[in-house]
Amino acid sequence: MANSMSEMLRQDMQCEGLLECFHDLKEIDKNVFRMLNETEDPLTVDEIADRIDRERSTAYRSVQRLLQVGFIQKEQINYEQGGYYHVYRPRDAEEIAQEMQRMLNDWYAKMGQLIGEFSEKYAEELNPPSPVES
């Protein structure tokens, strides 16, 4: 990722899509998210690993990243004889989109505030108020 906002803007947003730009997700994460969206039933990590043809540990790390950014949800399934396992399903895409929009709005407001503070501080120093003549 770019070190600064100006670098990022100069690079013309080289992150190719929303999931990378917003959440720094990897290609495998996008594949897992897409696959879960195309599957009717929630899946276990083992089932996800089988479907994407990767090691269980790799699938598990991807699932953890997707959980962390709120793209998928975890559900516990209990065995009748005791014990349980987890399955994962995608969250509603509209909810995710609204959260990203809120995040963008917050960022935009924060940047606007910082620009305003910069302008106030340095514009005053460069243009000191002229003395009032009596």
Side-chain angles (χ1 to χ4, degrees), residues 20-37:
E20 289 150 296
C21 291
F22 257 88
H23 297 292
D24 199 23
L25 292 177
K26 300 171 176 13
E27 193 64 35
I28 186 174
D29 306 333
K30 292 194 291 184
N31 292 340
V32 169
F33 183 63
R34 189 179 309 117
M35 186 262 299
L36 284 171
N37 270 287

Side-chain angles (χ1 to χ4, degrees), residues 1-90:
M1 260 326 215
N3 295 332
S4 69
M5 176 58 58
S6 58
E7 263 180 69
M8 194 170 88
L9 295 172
R10 274 199 300 275
Q11 288 175 352
D12 197 27
M13 300 291 277
Q14 282 185 351
C15 44
E16 70 176 50
L18 203 56
L19 305 193
E20 289 150 296
C21 291
F22 257 88
H23 297 292
D24 199 23
L25 292 177
K26 300 171 176 13
E27 193 64 35
I28 186 174
D29 306 333
K30 292 194 291 184
N31 292 340
V32 169
F33 183 63
R34 189 179 309 117
M35 186 262 299
L36 284 171
N37 270 287
E38 291 166 357
T39 308
E40 283 192 31
D41 297 319
L43 301 174
T44 64
V45 170
D46 290 313
E47 291 168 328
I48 292 168
D50 284 346
R51 292 191 188 204
I52 62 170
D53 195 27
R54 300 294 280 274
E55 294 287 323
R56 185 188 193 282
S57 58
T58 304
Y60 179 78
R61 284 192 299 273
S62 179
V63 163
Q64 292 308 303
R65 283 191 296 272
L66 289 165
L67 271 174
Q68 192 178 355
V69 297
F71 277 41
I72 62 175
Q73 55 198 25
K74 175 166 77 170
E75 295 171 15
Q76 181 173 307
I77 308 290
N78 297 313
Y79 292 113
E80 282 179 27
Q81 66 272 28
Y84 62 88
Y85 63 98
H86 290 119
V87 293
Y88 301 88
R89 70 167 71 241

Side-chain angles (χ1 to χ4, degrees), residues 8-9 17 22-23 41 46 73 76 82-83 85 92 94 97 103 106 108 114-115 120 126 133:
M8 194 170 88
L9 295 172
F22 257 88
H23 297 292
D41 297 319
D46 290 313
Q73 55 198 25
Q76 181 173 307
Y85 63 98
D92 179 63
E94 188 54 41
M103 197 185 300
D106 291 346
Y108 189 80
L114 292 173
I115 291 167
E120 278 175 35
L126 294 173
E133 293 182 19

